Amino acid sequence: MKKLSNYGYKPLFFFPSLPNKISQPLQFSSPIRYRKPLFTHTLFPIDHFFITYGKVQLCAYTSPATHQLLDKMPQRRIQDFKNGKGHEIFELVNMVKEKPDILSVSQVHGLKLKVGMLAYLPTVTTLLIIYSKTKNFSSSLTLFAEIINKDVVTWNAIMTACVKNNFFGFAVKFFAEMVNEGKQFDSATLVIVISALSKMRDLRKGLVVHCLSMKMGMLSESILGNALIDFYAKCSNLSSSECVFLEIECKDVVSWNSVISGCLYNGHPEKSLLYFKHVGNLEKGADSVSLSCAIAASACLDEFGCGQAIHGWGIKLGYEDRCHLSVENSLISLYSQSGDIAAGEYVFNRMEYRDIVTWNSMISGFILNGNVSDAFDYLHEMQYTRTIEPDAVTLISIIPLVAEFLLLREGKAIHAFTIRREMGAELSMMNALMDMYFNCERVKDAEQLFLNMPKKDLVSWNIILSGYSQNDQCREAQSLLKKFHTGNSECSLSTLLGILPACDSPNSIQFGKLIHSWEVKLGFVNNIILVNSLMYMYIRCGDLVSSFKLLEEIAYTADVDSWSTVISGCTQNGHFWEALNAFKLMRLKSNIIHDTITLVNIIPACGNLELTCEGKSIHALTLKTSAGQDIRVQNALITMYGKLSDVESARSVFKLCFHRNLCSWNCMISTLAQNKNSKEAIEFFRLLEIEPDEITMATILSACRQLGIIRHGKQIHAHLIRSGFHKNAFVSAALVDMYSSCGRLDIARQVFQSSAERSIAAWNSMISAYGFHSNGEKAIGIFHEMIDSGLTPSKVTFINLLTACSHTGLVDQGFWYYNHMLDEYGVQCSTEHHVCVVDMLGRSGRLHEAYNFINELPSPPDPGIWGALLSACNYHGDVQLGKEVASILFSLEPENVGYHLALSNIYVATGSWKEAGELRDIVHIKGLKKSAAYSFIDVGST
């Protein structure tokens, strides 16, 4: 370096660090242009390179002759640009500026370099801006670094490039460098910096720039004031934004637009409309920005009449052509939110030019109004335009729709589209996809997506915790929460609400209490939504005392949702008396009025307890309010009357339903099937006005099973195959039941074996089928196959298994499964299981053993258990034991005619005609009647 400087060489540029290997100084015999990417923008001939590597350095030197040339270049450049060639290059630059692409910019750059125009500051500044427009920000930075004498326009250009390319921090750093070097700046500089800080939401630095602008006396310029209005609004400091607005002496339309949009952004649409009214008094009046903001404010306030008035004013002012997309986009959103999607579609169809916001507004409008098919049609049409492709906003709006309607195939297609378009970096997109997979019960797919996410936020954790809880992956949810808690200090209300459903049994009560403690520690103790969720959690875990204690603690702040939570929790978890008591307590509160949700949950409690009087009282209560016309309440009433065996009342409620949905038909068909009106159930199915679903088909198959008519069952099976419902696990289980009851065990076995997904219901049906056909060994074999598949047996599983053992005389095996239900399989014994054991012992003639079994039960036996023993006494003709059991039953259920007739039959079978006659006289005196039995045949059945 010293040798070169001794001969008059001067350094032209210097690069402090390069990743080259150590080498000797390079000498070149003639001037060259070094054209590696790092030096693409070099403006002058380079005579020598010198490289040293104590600190890796590279310095380019030019000869004295070259520097003499540089001193004369300003005059020469000006002269050169006056010729025709320079004029042509200027025109070429303007053309590239309008439609920039990296190839054209590089060619123009090379041409300018060749003719020496890059030393002309306006030209190099223009080139810098064009590079930034092509998103080649690195070239803009390199070009800026090579400019020797930078003026304020150059600095503004590079800061604008930073903002345009979303490098907001770089823009602020450039401004700080500019100030530190003592460079002059103007109001445009401050506007650019304020714009960058607005994007960064950096209020502190913005205040510094505001003070600087005041110190420099630049606030008199409206463009800077407008930028400050927008900045404070974006930083959620609306009061400061309005203060700046008021201080501007000469307000233009941009000033008004800034404060109108600022109010809207900060959730004050009413203020937006108040400011908008003043815009009408301006000389120029409102522009497209004012109108679009005012329309959006009207939509936020549900002031759709006001929005229509603004629409009319916009037409009068001429803002309905293709030049004002923002107005038309706002109108589409307005009409969509008002429910007038046809008007939104009319605006859309009239538009000559549409951008991505237009399509997104229209698709969101269809989703908002429940037009699912139209939303997908417009999404497909949007893709066919080719000029516009779905962006993140489009997909994020459509994914929840896919999740709601369980459209897994469409959801996977959207996921594939995001991969092809490299949208995986969009965190909100990945969160939406993960939520979709959980809703479609694809837990493994959602889990894989979560694990592969490069970055996770609190929403991501909340979604996976909630997804595990909703898909019965309670252990996974609990272990994941522990992992989350160790690595994250922050926690939101959604985190707690998402994990609470994972506490769904008495085994998880301790974990639920830990969540409760965590909630108190985090300060959510007064949050009514979380308290409601905690009460529901305690009920699910069987701790009703803690739940009602929480309700008592919030007695003064509890709303109807709190009471409905307790009532629904009790009803859904089998605590029907507690649900009724809670409803009575709620009725005593003068400030609490029941709503639809309350009634929908209390009505089933009456049905399950078979409380006819209370059920009809609540029915009368519904008729006094508008809730009586709610279809959900009417459907609950139909189901209740079905459980009360009051088919006529159920039919009356059904006839009064003016807006029947599929659930209404399903409830009525189920009521008829449950009450042995199977033929009428089939007739209702034929009259069905709506396309049936899986529940309808499973219910009607139950009716066919009762009738034992395989012809109807086969017809429905064919319909299931055509509609694709046969793949449903519960429908498959109903088919197994139907074919088994109709005597076709072979077809039942085929249906079971061909099932793609076997639910616990399907396994239970197959166990029941083998037991019904007296094949207990195979029933036991199927039970063990189910255990090996990883499924946990249910209460119904053991009822079917014990029944199969009873029908085939497998008493010892049956006793073993009964004794190991709880410790081996985690199933608590219930009355139904006790009945099965008594029936099993009774059928095998072990009557006294059955009698002792009943007396040794830990709780007082239900009448059904004694009834099973009485039937066994009747079967084996044991008069003595039969009389003893019958006397117990007469005291428990004196009005049950079946017990009287069973004892009478025992007397007749043993020749005790006198006792039989006396018993029948008692039945006649009491007025007890038994329903007449009947048989029927199906003519033409196969």
Side-chain angles (χ1 to χ4, degrees), residues 847-848 872-883 903 906 910:
L847 300 178
H848 289 281
C873 292
N874 182 16
Y875 181 78
H876 291 284
D878 192 327
V879 179
Q880 190 64 34
L881 185 58
K883 285 174 66 178
L903 181 60
I906 294 173
T910 55

Side-chain angles (χ1 to χ4, degrees), residues 65 143 198 201 225 275 322 383 421 490 578 616 717 797:
L143 188 58
S198 175
R201 307 292 192 267
Y275 281 115
R322 60 178 290 172
Q383 291 177 279
R421 294 293 185 273
E490 60 176 339
E578 288 80 1
K616 288 187 174 182
H717 192 177
T797 309

Side-chain angles (χ1 to χ4, degrees), residues 1 11-15 48-52 57-61:
M1 285 187 189
L12 179 62
F13 52 79
F14 175 78
F15 293 89
H48 293 83
F49 283 99
F50 190 87
I51 305 173
T52 62
Q57 298 175 344
L58 182 145
C59 191
Y61 281 78

Side-chain angles (χ1 to χ4, degrees), residues 95 128 372 384 459 471 564 593 635 639 707 795 860 863 890 904:
M95 288 174 59
L128 185 152
V372 181
Y384 289 138
V459 177
N471 286 274
S564 296
I593 301 173
N635 293 342
T639 304
L707 290 172
K795 169 184 169 182
F890 293 161
S904 175

Side-chain angles (χ1 to χ4, degrees), residues 25-56:
L26 303 177
Q27 297 289 336
F28 296 93
S29 57
S30 60
I32 64 159
R33 292 189 182 278
Y34 191 66
R35 292 192 174 274
K36 284 193 176 181
L38 188 63
F39 306 105
T40 302
H41 312 297
T42 301
L43 307 181
F44 309 108
I46 300 170
D47 297 297
H48 293 83
F49 283 99
F50 190 87
I51 305 173
T52 62
Y53 287 94
K55 295 178 181 177
V56 181

Side-chain angles (χ1 to χ4, degrees), residues 70 139 168 190 266 279-280 341 366 368 402 434 477 495 498 503 518 598 630 646 659 737 764 811 859:
L70 293 177
S139 295
F168 309 117
L190 296 179
N266 284 274
V279 177
I341 190 65
F366 282 123
L368 188 65
V402 171
M434 188 164 56
T495 312
C503 309
W518 194 22
T598 318
D630 191 287
D646 190 350
H659 304 287
D737 271 339
N764 291 346
V811 181
S859 58

